[in-house]
Amino acid sequence: MKVLVIGGGAREHALCRSLSLDPDVTSLHCAPGNAGIADVAELHPVDILDGAAVAGLAESLGADLVIVGPEAPLVAGVADAVRARGIDCFGPSGEAAQLEGSKAFAKDVMAAAGVPTARSYVCATADEIDHALDAFGAPYVVKDDGLAAGKGVVVTDDPAAARDHALACVAAPSGRVVIEEYLDGPEVSLFAVTDGETVVPLQPAQDFKRALDGDEGPNTGGMGAYSPLPWADPKLVDEVERTVLQPTVDELRRRGTPFSGLLYAGLAITSRGVRVIEFNARFGDPETQVVLARLRSPLAGLLRAAATGQLATHPALRWSDDAAVTVVVASHNYPGTPRTGDPITGLADATSDTAYVLHAGTRLDESGRVLSAGGRVLSVTATGPDLTAARTSAYAALAAIRLDGSHHRTDIAATAAAN
């Protein structure tokens, strides 16, 4: 199987790493990729939002399967363009990807499917915003209706800050903002591979959105993750499949917009039960790093089964009993405007039998040095017999890396490991 992965972050590096270990993958390509992905796949320049360009590249490579990683090209309909050339593609259509592209659309789907979620208002005017904020009270949860790279949510006790963010969202191209009730309880990320009918859940993970230890600081795209969740109800995955994932897939199919690809449910385990915080239409970053670290089944066959409507007959997935932890190394000033172009050293020293480094925002300079090229730069990933061992290995690997001005959280999976 010749496989082309679209994207250039740590999620795509994790996908490419797993695909490179799959004996069925005879040729692996990535566009545009990054400095780390170059070690396991052949890189190609492409505008990932240009469906015709991506489809043309896939055709020229003779790709048997295209995997679209990021949300923006999915919402732009890149998967549709690839499938129109007769090439199997893992990723939902542009219409189905509105499940992530529009929070208002997702709320409408959940309401029709009977999926438990937070009560919410979709607002388009200042008066509607004021009414919604008054109705729910603090903490205020204000969400961009459209894509915001994981940073479009403000959770605050400050009504002025909440109103300012809501007004900025309304001024954006979508013209709408979603204001919803605050959900208490721990959060869980659960991925499911689906072909539009059959749903195959993966293992749950937990990520850390805030920039600083103790869940302080601004929201980010994610500063770390771990799996499994020793504190979670063993029946959680079955419950979410039954009450969230399958009803959502069934509703989208009923609407004539079947969702084939990766359905991501961001969940809150509240005092009133499981509630959906959000849906994504692709693998999450950094949860993908820890989930794929534990997957023992070949990845290419699973994703191609979804792309070709064959999931119902695909063998049950096999998982490692080991734990996995990922810690994100971020550039100076992230999640603000990051500083880039700094050299990264110690990458070889960070690699061991239990730890490896996945690249997110990196590039090579003319002399072959690895330089920072984004806000989140690296995902240091490690496994171990339990979370304590995996944490120890991840932070030991991280200590070998040097990136001037970088920062990372020191408490990823700490509470779960201690308990």
Side-chain angles (χ1 to χ4, degrees):
M1 194 187 309
K2 293 182 179 179
V3 181
L4 170 62
V5 176
I6 301 301
R11 164 187 48 226
E12 287 76 34
H13 194 177
L15 288 165
C16 285
R17 179 181 182 275
S18 291
L19 291 165
S20 73
L21 300 173
D22 187 334
D24 287 336
V25 176
T26 55
S27 180
L28 181 59
H29 304 265
C30 187
N34 61 40
I37 296 175
D39 291 336
V40 295
E42 184 178 345
L43 304 189
H44 305 270
V46 77
D47 178 354
I48 66 172
L49 299 179
D50 185 336
V54 172
L57 173 63
E59 199 168 50
S60 70
L61 294 173
D64 300 300
L65 176 66
V66 175
I67 300 166
V68 182
E71 61 272 25
L74 289 169
V75 171
V78 167
D80 303 271
V82 172
R83 279 190 282 266
R85 300 283 183 98
I87 302 169
D88 293 337
C89 185
F90 182 80
S93 66
E95 197 171 1
Q98 286 301 311
L99 199 63
E100 178 172 3
S102 169
K103 302 293 189 298
F105 176 77
K107 287 290 187 182
D108 185 63
V109 170
M110 285 188 270
V115 170
T117 187
R119 294 179 296 121
S120 64
Y121 291 96
V122 179
C123 307
T125 68
D127 286 344
E128 290 174 349
I129 289 168
D130 291 339
H131 172 74
L133 294 174
D134 288 343
F136 289 131
Y140 304 100
V141 181
V142 184
K143 297 182 174 181
D144 289 358
D145 179 51
L147 297 178
K151 293 176 282 188
V153 180
V154 165
V155 181
T156 179
D157 290 324
D158 182 350
R163 190 175 192 271
D164 288 346
H165 183 65
L167 290 172
C169 294
V170 168
S174 75
R176 298 186 295 183
V177 64
V178 175
I179 298 173
E180 63 184 39
E181 67 175 327
Y182 176 77
L183 297 175
D184 65 321
E187 296 185 10
V188 174
S189 299
L190 185 63
F191 301 153
V193 174
T194 177
D195 57 10
E197 293 190 21
T198 300
V199 173
V200 178
L202 306 186
Q203 289 290 298
Q206 186 174 62
D207 77 332
F208 295 74
K209 286 293 188 187
R210 298 285 186 172
L212 307 175
D213 284 3
D215 290 329
E216 299 289 336
N219 262 349
T220 72
M223 294 298 291
Y226 70 93
S227 179
L229 312 181
W231 49 267
D233 188 328
K235 299 177 182 177
L236 175 64
V237 173
D238 290 340
E239 178 187 352
V240 174
E241 180 181 3
R242 176 176 53 82
T243 64
V244 173
L245 300 171
Q246 193 68 58
T248 299
V249 169
D250 291 345
E251 172 62 19
L252 287 167
R253 187 174 68 253
R254 186 192 68 76
R255 293 178 177 218
T257 57
F259 188 105
S260 172
L262 195 290
L263 178 58
Y264 167 115
L267 310 164
I269 313 301
T270 77
S271 55
R272 294 172 292 143
V274 175
R275 297 289 186 272
V276 175
I277 301 170
E278 65 175 353
F279 282 126
N280 289 339
R282 39 73 192 181
F283 281 102
D285 181 349
E287 300 97 319
T288 301
Q289 289 86 302
V290 292
V291 172
L292 292 187
R294 300 184 59 227
L295 179 64
R296 290 294 169 263
S297 297
L299 182 61
L302 171 66
L303 302 190
R304 196 173 195 188
T308 56
Q310 304 296 316
L311 268 184
T313 58
H314 191 271
L317 299 184
R318 295 179 290 107
W319 296 93
S320 167
D321 291 331
D322 282 354
V325 171
T326 281
V327 183
V328 170
V329 178
S331 289
H332 174 74
N333 200 45
Y334 177 81
T337 302
R339 190 175 78 201
T340 60
D342 290 312
I344 306 167
T345 59
L347 293 172
D349 295 330
T351 302
S352 69
D353 291 341
T354 58
Y356 50 89
V357 180
L358 298 169
H359 291 228
T362 67
R363 65 178 178 86
L364 295 174
D365 69 5
E366 297 80 0
S367 62
R369 295 186 308 166
V370 179
L371 305 181
S372 63
R376 291 185 296 170
V377 181
L378 304 168
S379 285
V380 180
T381 302
T383 57
D386 54 34
L387 285 174
T388 298
R391 286 190 82 248
T392 299
S393 183
Y395 281 105
L398 191 150
I401 297 171
R402 294 289 178 268
L403 171 59
D404 186 51
S406 67
H407 63 97
H408 64 272
R409 284 184 58 159
T410 66
D411 62 347
I412 303 301
T415 300
N419 294 334

